[in-house]
């Protein structure tokens, strides 16, 4: 059974990149290959940026 791709996987920079050996259509984006690892790092960066923006808006400073 094939699992669904993570949200945003096919719209990611990792999916669009031509720098990886595994073609986008063969990648599961879970981190088991370089393209999948790049996608996960991209998601972590987005999450980190989102968290940083909340720190500046927090009334608990």
């Amino acid at each position: 059974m094939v699992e669904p791709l993570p949200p945003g996987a096919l719209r990611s920079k990792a999916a669009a990149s031509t720098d990886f050996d595994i073609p986008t259509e063969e990648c599961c984006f879970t981190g088991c290959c370089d393209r999948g690892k790049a996608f996960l790092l991209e998601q972590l960066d987005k999450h980190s940026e989102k968290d940083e923006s909340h720190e500046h808006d927090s009334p608990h400073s």
Side-chain angles (χ1 to χ4, degrees):
M1 182 173 159
V2 176
E3 296 292 322
L5 295 176
L10 294 179
R11 295 183 308 274
S12 68
K13 291 177 186 175
S17 177
T18 58
D19 295 338
F20 303 107
D21 294 333
I22 300 291
T24 300
E25 58 273 1
E26 293 179 19
C27 185
C28 62
F29 296 94
T30 59
C32 61
C33 67
D34 289 339
R35 185 180 301 277
K37 289 175 188 161
F39 170 70
L40 293 177
L41 289 173
E42 188 177 329
Q43 296 303 302
L44 286 173
D45 286 345
K46 285 182 182 179
H47 185 69
S48 176
E49 289 171 5
K50 188 176 179 181
D51 286 348
E52 288 174 5
S53 69
H54 280 279
E55 287 178 10
H56 300 294
D57 297 337
S58 176
H60 302 290
S61 297

